[in-house]
Amino acid sequence: MVLERIGSPADLKALPLEDLPALAEELRAAIIAAVARLGGHLGSNLGVVELTIALHRVFDSGGRDLLLWDTGHQAYVHKMLTGRSGMFDTLKQSGGLSGYPSRSESEHDVIENSHASTALSWAFGVARGEQAKDPEDRRRVVAVVGDGALTGGMAYEALNNLGHHRLPVLIVLNDNGRSYAETVGRLSERVSDLRTDPRYRTWRARLDRVLSRVPLVERVAGAGLEGIKQFVSDAPALQSFVEALGVRYLGPVDGHDVARLEHVLTTAERLTGPVLVHVLTQKGKGYEPAETDLEMHLHDTSAFDLLAGPGNGGVPKPRGWTAAFSDAITDLATRRRDVIAITAAMPGSTGLLPLAERRPDQVLDVGIAEQHAITAAAGMAQAGLTPVVALYSTFFTRGFDQANLDVGLHDEHVVFCFDRAGITGNDGASHQGVLDLGLMLRIPTATVLAPSTEEDLRALLEVALDLDGPVSLRFPKYAVATAAALGLDGPGEGLEAAEVRRVAEEVDTDLCLLAVGDRVGPALEAAELLGEHGIETTVWDVRSVRPADPRMLAAAAQAPLVVTVENGYVAGGAGAHLADRIVELAGVREAPPVLRLGVPDTYISHAKPDAILAELGLDAAGISSAVRKVLSDG
C-alpha cells in the first residue's frame, strides 16, 4: 500500500512518478470507504485527488508555503497527505476529524474555511502581511478555489484587489463545473465552453508559437506585444476577465494529470504577482455512482452500504423536514404563479428540485450568492411577485445586511425558509444554524414563525405567503415530527394556523413553559418528567415568536415561573424577545422570573445532533433538570 508510506508531504515528494497512479487509486478507495461508513463530502474530494497530490509535491505546506482551501469540504485528500489518513474512521465524529480544515488538527490547515468564496480575501490579507516581512521570511500563499466558490461575489472583490495591488498569490481554480449542484452564471457557462470548444486548442497553439520566440522576461512582463494582445482579446472569457483585473492566467490544465499539473504549478511558482492556474477536474471521478449522479455527483451523502451503493438497500431514513418543506412549497407554488422560489446553489439540498421539474420558471438558482438572492427577492416583491428564499440557516448570515435594509427597511414581502435551523451536528461550528432567530428578530418589520410539526410547516408556509412584509420560517435537519406523534391537534385554517397552541395544561401550575419550534416535543416530555416530581406545567407551542400571541403572554404573566426553550442562541433569541413582551405586559415589578434555555454563546464543534442538544440541556432531561434546579434554589 503506497498510502501507508505517506506520513507527511515530505514522504509524498520522495515517491517516484510511477507510484502516483496507485496512490491516487488508494486515496479514492479510502475516501469512498470513510464516507460510506460515516457520511460526508464525496464527489468534490474524488475530483481533487491528483490536484492535491501535485500541490503537495510542488509546494512546502506547513513550511514556506500556505495552502488555503475554498471551500474546505474538498480538503479530505489534503488531510490524508498531511498525516491524518489513519484517523478517517473518526471523520465528523465527536472528538474526531472535522469535515473541514481545522487549525486544532494540523499546522497544514491554515483557515477553517467551510463557507464558500472567502479564501481569496484571506489570501489577499495574508499576502499583504507577508510582504511586510523581510524577503527571506516571506511565505508563498496558494489559494485552492473551486467547487463553485468562484460564483460568489466576494471572490471577485478579492480578485480585483489582488490584481490592483499585484500581490504574489497563486490561485488554483478547481473547475469541475459544479458547486453543490451545477454551477450557474454566464461566466461559468463560458468557462465550461472551454471543455468542448476546439477553437481553444487552435488559439493556444498559436499563442504558444508566438511566446516561444519571445524572451522569458518579456513573456512575464507582457512587454506590449501586439500579437499577444490580439490573441488575448480572442481568449476565452475567463482569461480575458482575470487578466483585465491584473491577474495572470495559465491553463486550462488537465486536473487528473499529475505530471502536467506539477509542471504548470512549478512554472506559476516562478512568476511574480497574482497568477491563476485554471484546472479542469471531474467531480466524483473514479466512483461510478458519483460520476452518474447528474444532480450533485454525490457532493455530500449520508452513510451508505458500500456494496449496494448510495440510495440502495440499508435502513430507510425517516422522513425529514426538508422533504416536508419540498412537498409544501411544490403544492403551493403550482397553485400560485406569483410564487418564485430562490436558492443559492442548493436546489436539491433545500428541496426545490420537485418544483423545478414541474415549474422551472418558478425556481431561481443564483449560485453561491446569498446577498444577491435576498436583494433580488426584494426587487421581485416590489414588482408584485411572492419570493420564497430557501437557505440553510447558517448561510443566511451572509445576506443579513440585505435582509435588514433591502427587505426589512422597505417592508417588502419576502418569505425566508431556513432549513437546518438549530443544532445540525457533524458539520461543526460553521454549520450550526443558531443565528437566524436572533437575526430575524433584529429586523423590526419581520414576522418570525417556528413550526413544530409537518402539518404546522405546511399551514404556516401558506399563511406566510399571504402576510405582508418579511416573514421567516425555520425547521431543523433531522426527522420531521407529526401532530399525531406529539399528541397535538392539527393547525387551524388560515391565520389561525399561526396562533399559539396550549398543548399541556394543569390547574394552578407551577410554571409556564414556552417551547419554540422543534423543542415542543422535548418540552412535552419534560412536563411529564416534572410531573413525576410533583411539578405541574403548562406547555405552549409558540408557533409565532413575533408577533407573540396575547393569550400566551397573558397566561405567562400570571405564572409563578416562565421557562422558554429554543434551538438557537439564547442571547437575543426567541426567549429574550418573549421575556421582554411579558415584562411590557405585566410591568417590571410584577413580571414573573424567566428562565431562558437555548444555545450558549460559543462555537459548537461536530458531534451527533442529539448528543449536542443533550449536552446543552435542550432535551427533555435537560429541560426538566434546569427547572427543578431553579425551583429548588427558590
Side-chain angles (χ1 to χ4, degrees):
M1 294 284 287
V2 181
L3 182 57
E4 292 178 352
R5 309 202 314 256
I6 306 299
S8 70
D11 298 327
L12 178 64
K13 294 178 192 294
L15 280 182
L17 275 173
E18 54 266 26
D19 283 353
L20 298 184
L23 174 62
E25 185 175 339
E26 290 174 21
L27 285 165
R28 285 194 170 90
I31 291 170
I32 294 167
V35 173
R37 186 168 57 253
L38 302 169
H41 289 90
L42 185 57
S44 49
N45 285 290
L46 295 177
V48 297
V49 171
E50 289 84 2
L51 172 58
T52 309
I53 290 172
L55 286 165
H56 278 291
R57 283 172 60 87
V58 172
F59 299 107
D60 180 22
S61 173
R64 297 286 297 178
D65 299 316
L66 301 173
L67 266 60
L68 316 182
W69 294 88
D70 187 0
T71 64
H73 63 235
Q74 57 185 336
Y76 287 10
V77 183
H78 161 77
K79 292 193 176 205
M80 288 184 166
L81 296 178
T82 52
R84 287 168 279 180
S85 61
M87 299 175 62
F88 260 72
D89 59 347
T90 69
L91 180 66
K92 300 174 70 171
Q93 304 303 297
S94 179
L97 284 181
S98 168
Y100 302 94
S102 172
R103 288 178 174 177
S104 65
E105 288 180 13
S106 172
E107 64 178 349
H108 296 279
D109 294 359
V110 182
I111 57 173
E112 304 185 10
N113 196 5
S114 52
H115 284 198
S117 309
T118 65
L120 294 186
S121 295
W122 271 100
F124 175 90
V126 173
R128 181 66 182 82
E130 293 295 322
Q131 290 300 103
K133 299 178 181 178
D134 293 334
E136 62 272 15
D137 294 329
R138 294 173 187 168
R139 296 171 295 177
R140 176 180 295 275
V141 180
V142 181
V144 186
V145 181
D147 215 25
L150 205 60
T151 65
M154 187 175 174
Y156 296 109
E157 296 170 19
L159 270 176
N160 182 41
N161 276 270
L162 285 167
H164 177 73
H165 292 277
R166 303 294 302 157
L167 289 175
V169 171
L170 175 56
I171 304 160
V172 179
L173 172 59
N174 168 31
D175 174 17
N176 59 18
R178 316 289 295 191
S179 49
Y180 299 90
E182 186 173 4
T183 303
V184 300
R186 179 62 179 165
L187 182 60
S188 298
E189 291 173 4
R190 295 294 296 120
V191 171
S192 297
D193 288 346
L194 285 172
R195 301 168 179 272
T196 55
D197 191 344
R199 293 175 297 173
Y200 172 74
R201 296 189 181 278
T202 301
W203 172 86
R204 183 78 239 181
R206 291 166 61 199
L207 181 57
D208 287 344
R209 286 195 296 272
V210 172
L211 289 180
S212 67
R213 297 192 293 269
V214 179
L216 178 61
V217 66
E218 292 185 3
R219 291 184 230 167
V220 174
L225 297 170
E226 290 302 319
I228 294 178
K229 286 183 177 179
Q230 180 61 46
F231 286 135
V232 168
S233 69
D234 293 335
L238 178 62
Q239 174 162 11
S240 299
F241 178 78
V242 299
E243 293 195 345
L245 295 177
V247 178
R248 186 177 177 88
Y249 172 95
L250 297 178
V253 186
D254 181 353
H256 303 295
D257 183 337
V258 176
R260 178 63 179 160
L261 283 167
E262 289 187 27
H263 173 73
V264 174
L265 291 173
T266 301
T267 299
E269 185 182 22
R270 296 170 182 157
L271 302 177
T272 59
V275 181
L276 185 146
V277 177
H278 184 189
V279 178
L280 300 179
T281 63
Q282 179 186 1
K283 191 166 185 174
K285 182 176 176 61
Y287 186 50
E288 185 177 1
E291 292 180 349
T292 56
D293 173 19
L294 299 182
E295 179 196 343
M296 295 174 63
H297 289 278
L298 292 183
H299 171 80
D300 57 354
T301 178
S302 56
F304 59 90
D305 183 278
L306 192 56
L307 295 178
N312 298 310
V315 179
K317 292 192 297 184
R319 179 172 169 83
W321 282 90
T322 303
F325 168 74
S326 179
D327 289 348
I329 188 65
T330 300
D331 180 56
L332 293 170
T334 52
R335 293 192 276 115
R336 291 185 51 161
R337 279 290 188 177
D338 62 304
V339 172
I340 303 293
I342 305 171
T343 184
M346 303 179 73
S349 300
T350 55
L352 296 182
L353 282 183
L355 176 59
E357 292 169 359
R358 294 178 64 177
R359 295 284 178 83
D361 59 325
Q362 288 182 251
V363 175
L364 176 63
D365 182 358
V366 300
I368 303 176
E370 290 84 359
Q371 292 172 311
H372 165 62
I374 292 171
T375 299
M380 294 178 196
Q382 196 278 333
L385 296 174
T386 305
V388 175
V389 180
L391 301 171
Y392 280 12
S393 168
T394 183
F395 297 132
F396 173 61
T397 59
R398 296 162 64 99
F400 174 68
D401 181 71
Q402 288 68 33
N404 183 36
L405 298 180
D406 292 327
V407 177
L409 181 63
H410 295 82
D411 201 25
E412 297 292 354
H413 182 211
V414 174
V415 178
F416 295 95
C417 293
F418 299 132
D419 198 336
R420 271 64 166 186
I423 294 298
T424 58
N426 55 18
D427 277 327
S430 63
H431 279 57
Q432 312 292 4
V434 291
L435 278 164
D436 64 274
L437 271 174
L439 291 177
M440 285 304 299
L441 288 167
R442 305 287 77 76
I443 301 175
T445 56
T447 298
V448 180
L449 306 175
S452 59
T453 67
E454 177 170 353
E455 295 86 350
D456 279 0
L457 172 59
R458 179 186 179 85
L460 289 176
L461 179 58
E462 188 165 13
V463 168
L465 295 177
D466 289 325
L467 293 175
D468 296 321
V471 186
S472 72
L473 290 87
R474 72 189 314 259
F475 45 92
K477 177 181 180 179
Y478 20 85
V480 64
T482 63
L486 296 183
L488 306 179
D489 296 330
E493 297 293 329
L495 290 175
E496 290 183 2
E499 293 179 355
V500 72
R501 177 164 49 195
R502 188 165 50 199
V503 294
E505 179 183 19
E506 301 290 345
V507 178
D508 297 326
T509 58
D510 298 292
L511 73 139
C512 183
L513 179 52
L514 312 183
V516 178
D518 71 310
R519 294 302 88 193
V520 169
L524 289 170
E525 295 177 31
E528 293 182 3
L529 294 175
L530 290 168
E532 295 173 2
H533 292 273
I535 301 170
E536 304 299 341
T537 305
T538 298
V539 180
W540 295 81
D541 179 358
V542 174
R543 290 206 278 197
S544 177
V545 178
R546 187 170 67 197
D549 193 293
R551 292 174 298 166
M552 178 185 69
L553 295 177
Q558 299 299 316
L561 171 68
V562 176
V563 179
T564 67
V565 57
E566 62 195 288
N567 192 352
Y569 277 145
V570 68
H577 175 77
L578 294 171
D580 287 345
R581 304 292 79 76
I582 293 169
V583 170
E584 288 176 358
L585 181 64
V588 174
R589 292 182 179 276
E590 301 299 327
V594 179
L595 171 64
R596 294 182 289 121
L597 303 178
V599 179
D601 285 347
T602 187
Y603 294 110
I604 307 294
S605 189
H606 52 279
K608 297 295 184 184
D610 287 346
I612 296 174
L613 290 166
E615 184 177 348
L616 296 176
L618 298 179
D619 62 350
I623 297 169
S624 171
S625 177
V627 169
R628 286 188 286 112
K629 184 179 186 304
V630 168
L631 292 177
S632 66
D633 289 345

